[in-house]
Amino acid sequence: MSIRIQHLTKVYGSQKAVNDVSFDVSRGEIVGFLGPNGAGKSTTMKITTCYLSATSGQVEVNGFDVMQHSMDVRRSIGYLPEHNPLYTDMYIKEFLRFVGALYHLKGETLTKRVSEMIEICGLEVEQRKKIGQLSKGYRQRVGLAQALIHNPPVLILDEATTGLDPNQLVEIRNLIKTVGKEKTVLFSSHIMQEVEAICDRVVIINRGQVVADRSLKDLQNEGKPLEVVFQELTMQ
Ligand SMILES: Nc1ncnc2c1ncn2[C@@H]1O[C@H](COP(=O)(O)OP(=O)(O)OP(=O)(O)O)[C@@H](O)[C@H]1O
C-alpha cells in the first residue's frame, strides 16, 4: 500500500478538523480527494506529508510511519501544497537546483533532473525568468516541478490546478495523468470534471469524516454525475 491512513483525527483547539478518517491508496492509483471548503482535506494531506502531526491515528507512506520515519516519508513524497510557497527572487533553474540539492541530488544528475523537470512541466519558454515574474499558472508548474524533482513514488497535490487557464488546465491534467502512470497520486480538487478525467477513485470527506470511497467506474455505472453524488453527500 502506498498510502495508508487509519483512524486519523486532528483537533485544532476545540475543533475536530479530521475525525476518524481511514482510507488507503494503492501503488499506481490516482485518487481524487474531495470535500467542501473546510472539510479537512488539506489537514489530512499536511499530516500525510509530515507538515503537521496527528492528534491520533496512524499514517503510513510507502510503508513508513509519518511519526517514526518522517525522513523516509519526506523522501517518498512529492508535495504541492495549496498555497505553493516559492522563493520569488530566485530564477526557475536556481530554485529547482536548490530543491534538488535538498534531496541530495548533485553534479550531472542534478543538472539533468532540472532540465527534465523544465521540459516535463512545460517551463522552457519562461525558464529565464525569476519566479516572482511568472504568472500563476507557471508558478503552479514550478510547484509541480519541485514536487517531482527527486522522482518520488508518491505525489500529493493540494488543489494543484487552481487558477490555471483552460489550456493550462488541460496540459497540467495530462501531466498528472502521465506521471500517474508510474506514481501513486492523491490530489484534492473542487473541479469535478477534472477528477472525472484523471482519477481511478474518489474519496469524499465532509466535516472531517469520509462519506464516500468509490471507484469512478462504480459511480459511472450508476449513471450519476460526480457533481450530483458530491452534493447529495455533502449538502446538509
Ligand atoms: N492551523 C489551524 N488552526 C486552527 N484551525 C485550522 C487550522 N488549519 C485548518 N483549520 C480548520 O480545520 C478545518 C479543516 O480545514 P482544512 O484546511 O483541512 O480544510 P479543506 O478541506 O482543505 O478546505 P478548503 O477546500 O477550503 O481548502 C477548517 O475548519 C479550518 O478552519
Side-chain angles (χ1 to χ4, degrees), residues 61-124:
V61 177
N62 231 11
F64 300 112
D65 183 279
V66 294
M67 294 298 281
Q68 283 159 31
H69 302 286
S70 84
M71 290 313 284
D72 292 305
V73 170
R74 284 163 204 255
R75 270 192 283 271
S76 306
I77 280 182
Y79 176 40
L80 177 59
E82 186 180 2
H83 304 290
N84 177 16
L86 297 168
Y87 292 107
T88 50
D89 273 342
M90 280 187 169
Y91 291 95
I92 295 178
K93 268 192 184 166
E94 186 188 8
F95 175 68
L96 293 178
R97 287 191 72 84
F98 168 73
V99 177
L102 292 179
Y103 287 103
H104 304 296
L105 299 177
K106 51 187 161 205
E108 261 183 44
T109 314
L110 176 58
T111 305
K112 192 165 158 257
R113 201 62 198 148
V114 168
S115 301
E116 280 171 5
M117 288 304 101
I118 286 177
E119 195 198 323
I120 291 172
C121 297
L123 284 162
E124 293 102 330

Side-chain angles (χ1 to χ4, degrees), residues 2-235:
S2 278
I3 303 175
R4 165 154 286 179
I5 298 178
Q6 289 178 302
H7 304 292
L8 178 67
T9 293
K10 176 70 184 180
V11 180
Y12 293 114
S14 59
Q15 188 191 357
K16 232 178 214 180
V18 175
N19 186 3
D20 197 22
V21 161
S22 299
F23 66 92
D24 291 335
V25 184
S26 305
R27 203 170 295 274
E29 248 190 325
I30 304 185
V31 171
F33 194 31
L34 315 182
N37 290 133
K41 303 178 296 294
S42 295
T43 301
T44 303
M45 288 173 142
K46 282 178 189 165
I47 295 168
T48 309
T49 51
C50 305
Y51 276 75
L52 271 181
S53 58
T55 304
S56 60
Q58 277 94 44
V59 179
E60 272 178 27
V61 177
N62 231 11
F64 300 112
D65 183 279
V66 294
M67 294 298 281
Q68 283 159 31
H69 302 286
S70 84
M71 290 313 284
D72 292 305
V73 170
R74 284 163 204 255
R75 270 192 283 271
S76 306
I77 280 182
Y79 176 40
L80 177 59
E82 186 180 2
H83 304 290
N84 177 16
L86 297 168
Y87 292 107
T88 50
D89 273 342
M90 280 187 169
Y91 291 95
I92 295 178
K93 268 192 184 166
E94 186 188 8
F95 175 68
L96 293 178
R97 287 191 72 84
F98 168 73
V99 177
L102 292 179
Y103 287 103
H104 304 296
L105 299 177
K106 51 187 161 205
E108 261 183 44
T109 314
L110 176 58
T111 305
K112 192 165 158 257
R113 201 62 198 148
V114 168
S115 301
E116 280 171 5
M117 288 304 101
I118 286 177
E119 195 198 323
I120 291 172
C121 297
L123 284 162
E124 293 102 330
V125 281
E126 300 288 58
Q127 64 179 301
R128 314 237 172 269
K129 287 188 182 168
K130 279 190 176 180
I131 290 169
Q133 298 168 326
L134 297 175
S135 68
K136 187 167 167 51
Y138 276 93
R139 287 185 198 203
Q140 285 299 87
R141 288 170 192 247
V142 174
L144 265 174
Q146 66 77 32
L148 287 166
I149 192 126
H150 56 300
N151 199 15
V154 179
L155 262 187
I156 299 206
L157 311 173
D158 198 352
E159 294 183 36
T161 54
T162 309
L164 301 184
D165 72 37
N167 300 337
Q168 287 187 328
L169 209 83
V170 172
E171 282 183 31
I172 297 290
R173 229 182 246 177
N174 289 339
L175 172 60
I176 294 172
K177 252 183 153 169
T178 308
V179 299
K181 285 190 182 136
E182 48 187 47
K183 296 185 190 301
T184 304
V185 183
L186 176 67
F187 88 99
S188 74
S189 174
H190 289 296
I191 307 168
M192 298 296 142
Q193 302 95 303
E194 176 167 273
V195 174
E196 284 176 317
I198 305 178
C199 294
D200 306 308
R201 188 154 65 86
V202 291
V203 173
I204 303 176
I205 181 174
N206 190 36
R207 297 182 187 173
Q209 293 191 300
V210 173
V211 290
D213 182 347
R214 310 273 303 275
S215 75
L216 246 289
K217 233 187 207 154
D218 260 15
L219 290 173
Q220 277 154 0
N221 285 343
E222 278 175 25
K224 268 190 199 172
L226 182 56
E227 201 165 13
V228 173
V229 175
F230 181 88
Q231 284 177 349
E232 284 175 355
L233 290 167
T234 61
M235 269 193 7

